[in-house]
Structures are given as structure tokens and as C-alpha cells.
Amino acid sequence: MFFKNILVPYDESDHAKSALHVALGMAGQYPEAKVHVVTVIPSAALPNPTLLGEGFETPYAIADPSSYERIMDTAVKRAVADAEEVVDQSRDDAQCKIVADAVIAGSPVEGIADYVESHDIDLVVMGRRGLGALRGMLGSVSFGVLRSVDVPVMTVR
């Protein structure tokens, strides 16, 4: 098998689900292969620990850092649970190992690129377009990943 460590960025779009099916079709029959289904949570989507005047009469801050950590952990656990549900529905008779994961990053491209580097990924299989605001043509995340990683990227409709 040529690719043993495949990343499928998952954003709940139909294109991401198609990418997962393609990746499982490529690696599914190989028990030594691993498919990583990863959701990137943009840090801007999480509450800011210190909001100063954004629609509030008084600035506030999350005083307890452990409270903020719990908020972040909850967001990651929810995203992993959603990805695991899709994995369970898509698994069929795949013998490869399938890992559901989620990361928090400044942007989806940054999160995917960091994950590729830190998990020794040798192929990214991703949807051409996701659920982002820009639809049509090659998605901005797909384009950004193509330019940001040093491994092959396969885009799927």
C-alpha cells in the first residue's frame, strides 16, 4: 500500500463525507493503514476569554483559566463525537484503523497543515468545497491546504 496514514478533514459537508468514503476505499482493506477524520475548530468560533466592550456595557473576562479549558475541551469532545458518528456510519467492512479527532486552530488551513506535520500524514483526501462562506470553484480551504502541505492532496466532490 502506498499511503498508510491518510487525513480526511471533516466539516459535515457532503464533500467531506465523499472524501471519507474515498479514503476508506483506498485504505480500508489494509489493517496497517490509518485514516484520521479530523475536524478543525477555528479559535474564532470559541468564546474569547477576555471580551472588551463587544456589545457589553462592561468588559468581562473568564476569571478561571480552568473554566476556559473546560469550554475548549467540551467543543473538541463534541466535534470528535460528531466525527465518530459519521465514521461508524461509513466504516462498512474497513479493516484499517480509523481515528476521529478534533483540533483548535487559527484557521482550518492552519489546523490541517499542523495535523499533517505532527501526525506523519502521507495523503490528504478532502472535499473540494465545504460549509464555509465561499462556495463554487475550488474552496479556499482546499486551495490553502494545497499550498501549505508537502504531501499529496486529493480533492473530492
Side-chain angles (χ1 to χ4, degrees):
M1 163 168 206
F2 194 66
F3 300 109
K4 292 184 179 177
N5 221 5
I6 300 173
L7 169 62
V8 178
Y10 181 70
D11 67 356
E12 299 181 356
S13 68
D14 289 338
H15 286 243
K17 291 174 186 173
S18 294
L20 176 58
H21 287 289
V22 168
L24 292 176
M26 294 174 68
Q29 66 183 4
Y30 301 100
E32 69 275 11
K34 186 186 288 187
V35 174
H36 302 254
V37 182
V38 178
T39 300
V40 178
I41 303 167
S43 55
L46 296 171
N48 188 331
T50 58
L51 292 177
L52 302 173
E54 292 184 24
F56 297 99
E57 289 182 22
T58 6
Y60 78 92
I62 299 175
D64 179 16
S66 65
S67 295
Y68 190 67
E69 287 293 322
R70 282 194 304 275
I71 291 169
M72 293 173 54
D73 289 345
T74 299
V76 167
K77 286 177 184 173
R78 249 188 234 142
V80 168
D82 291 346
E84 285 174 341
E85 185 176 319
V86 170
V87 165
D88 290 342
Q89 294 169 359
S90 306
R91 176 178 289 277
D92 293 327
D93 60 349
Q95 298 173 25
C96 64
K97 184 173 183 178
I98 306 171
V99 177
D101 203 356
V103 296
I104 297 172
S107 72
V109 172
E110 179 185 316
I112 293 166
D114 289 347
Y115 198 93
V116 165
E117 189 173 318
S118 64
H119 289 82
D120 199 27
I121 301 296
D122 49 28
L123 173 67
V124 177
V125 180
M126 65 187 300
R128 282 189 194 167
R129 295 185 317 211
L131 294 177
L134 298 175
R135 292 194 174 203
M137 26 181 195
L138 187 64
S140 58
V141 173
S142 302
F143 186 73
V145 170
L146 282 167
R147 299 185 71 197
S148 300
V149 299
D150 292 327
V151 299
V153 177
M154 175 187 290
T155 59
V156 177
R157 250 194 240 205

